[in-house]
Amino acid sequence: MPRVTRWFLKSGLLFLLLALAVEVAAAIFQSGTVAAITLALRPTAFHFFFVGWIAQLIMGVSHWFFPRYTREKPRGNLSLIWSAFFGVNLGLFLRLISEPVFWNAVYPWRTPLAILAAVFQWVGFFCYVLHIWPRVKGK
Amino acid sequence: MIMPARSQWTLRLALIYMVGGATLGAMMLIGKVHPPLAHWMNGLPLHIAWMVGGGFLQFVMGTAFWILPKFADRPSFYGNVFFFDTAVVALNVGLIVYSLAHGVAAFTFLKSWSWPLFAIALLAWMAHVFPRIKPFQGVEE
C-alpha cells in the first residue's frame, strides 16, 4: 500500500471519528452550550464525513488500485496526489476553525480563512482528478 | 486486471461531477462569508446531488463493475450489462433533470421527475450487482 494511500486512510478514519463525535454530542446534548456548539459544527461535520472520510477513502484506494500510468511511473505524478491530500486536509482544518462561527463579525479574520478553506478543498479535488484521470484506462 | 470501457466511462463521468460539485461547494463556502455573493449558497441542492450521486455513487458503480467477481462460464463475462447501462443512463439523465429543475427557473416543473429516474438507477444497479456479489471463481475461502 503506497504511503499517500496510508495517509489518506488514516486521516479519513480520524475525520470519521470527528464527524461521529459531533453527531453523538448532538444526540446527547439537546440544549445548552454544547448543543449550540454542535449545531454550529454540523455543516462542518457533514464535510468531515463526506470529504474527510468518503472522498479520502476513494482518493487513497483508487491511487493504490487503478491501472498504472506507465511502466516507469506506475502511479503517475505523485506531487499531484500529495497536493490533493494536503489540499483536502488543510481545507477541512481551516473549515473547522472558520465555518462554524462565520456570522460572527467580532472575528473578521475568519472570512479570509473560510475563503482559503474553500480554495484548498477545491484544489485538493482538482489535483486528485488531474492525477487519476490518465489512470482511468484499459490497462 | 483490465478496466472495462463501461467502468472507464462511468468513472470519467464521476470525476467530472466531482470537479463540478467541488466547484459549487467552494463557491458556497465563499458565499457564506462574503454577503454580496450569498446567492451562491442557492447551489446547495446541486452541490449535494453532484457530489454524492454524480461523484461518489457513480464512482462506486464504475469501480464495482470492474472489480467484483465475474462469470467465466457465461457469454457475458460481467453479468447483465443491460441493467448496468440502464443504471448509468438513468442516474445521469436524472442528474441532468435534477440540475435543470433546481438551477434553471424555466425548468422547475421537472422537480419531481428526477427521483423516479434515481429510483430506476438504483434498482437497475442492484439487479446488476447482486449476482456478482459471490465468491471469486465460485470458490469459498
Side-chain angles (χ1 to χ4, degrees), chain A residues 43 47 50 54-55 58 62 65-67 95 99 102-103 111 114-115 117-118 121-122 125 128-129 132-133 136-139, chain B residues 1-3 7-8 11-12 15-16 18-19 22-23 25-26 29-30 32-35 41 47 51-52 56 59-60 63 66:
Chain A
H47 286 86
F50 282 107
I54 304 280
I58 284 174
S62 60
F65 269 117
F66 271 31
R95 186 167 203 138
E99 186 184 36
F102 57 85
W103 296 119
T111 296
I115 292 172
Q121 284 178 98
W122 184 84
F125 272 96
Y128 166 69
V129 171
I132 211 71
W133 188 275
V136 178
K137 60 180 185 169
K139 50 180 165 176
Chain B
M1 196 159 51
I2 294 171
M3 186 187 282
S7 286
Q8 292 176 44
L11 287 167
R12 286 185 190 123
L15 293 174
I16 290 167
M18 263 188 220
V19 170
T23 304
L29 186 51
I30 292 168
K32 263 187 184 179
V33 295
H34 188 56
M41 290 174 66
H47 170 59
M51 289 305 287
V52 178
F56 299 154
F59 197 97
V60 168
T63 306
W66 172 36

Side-chain angles (χ1 to χ4, degrees), chain B residues 29-136:
Chain B
L29 186 51
I30 292 168
K32 263 187 184 179
V33 295
H34 188 56
L37 299 174
H39 61 280
W40 281 0
M41 290 174 66
N42 296 336
L44 181 62
L46 293 189
H47 170 59
I48 294 171
W50 290 5
M51 289 305 287
V52 178
F56 299 154
L57 286 178
Q58 193 152 224
F59 197 97
V60 168
M61 288 165 65
T63 306
F65 185 85
W66 172 36
I67 62 170
L68 283 178
K70 298 159 193 70
F71 301 97
D73 54 343
R74 291 191 195 175
S76 179
F77 192 50
Y78 292 101
N80 192 325
V81 293
F82 170 76
F83 283 138
F84 181 80
D85 292 345
T86 304
V88 173
V89 170
L91 174 63
N92 285 282
V93 173
L95 283 165
I96 291 167
V97 169
Y98 186 89
S99 304
L100 287 172
H102 287 83
V104 184
F107 289 101
T108 48
F109 70 94
L110 290 174
K111 263 188 182 169
S112 57
W113 290 29
S114 53
W115 289 102
L117 287 164
F118 294 147
I120 290 168
L122 178 62
L123 289 171
W125 187 62
M126 285 174 70
H128 165 78
V129 90
F130 250 74
R132 288 187 60 186
I133 301 174
K134 65 186 186 83
F136 271 103

Side-chain angles (χ1 to χ4, degrees), chain A residues 37-109:
Chain A
I37 292 170
T38 54
L39 189 67
L41 277 172
R42 264 193 147 161
T44 312
F46 284 138
H47 286 86
F48 282 0
F49 182 79
F50 282 107
V51 179
W53 169 235
I54 304 280
Q56 289 209 91
L57 196 67
I58 284 174
M59 291 175 182
V61 173
S62 60
H63 170 74
W64 177 23
F65 269 117
F66 271 31
R68 63 185 174 198
Y69 180 59
T70 60
R71 196 176 292 273
E72 296 73 32
K73 288 174 77 177
R75 294 210 160 89
N77 187 341
L78 293 183
S79 58
L80 277 175
I81 194 71
W82 277 108
S83 301
F85 175 80
F86 286 113
V88 165
N89 283 277
L90 276 172
L92 284 174
F93 174 71
L94 290 174
R95 186 167 203 138
L96 173 65
I97 58 175
S98 63
E99 186 184 36
V101 282
F102 57 85
W103 296 119
N104 194 338
V106 179
Y107 303 106
W109 49 267

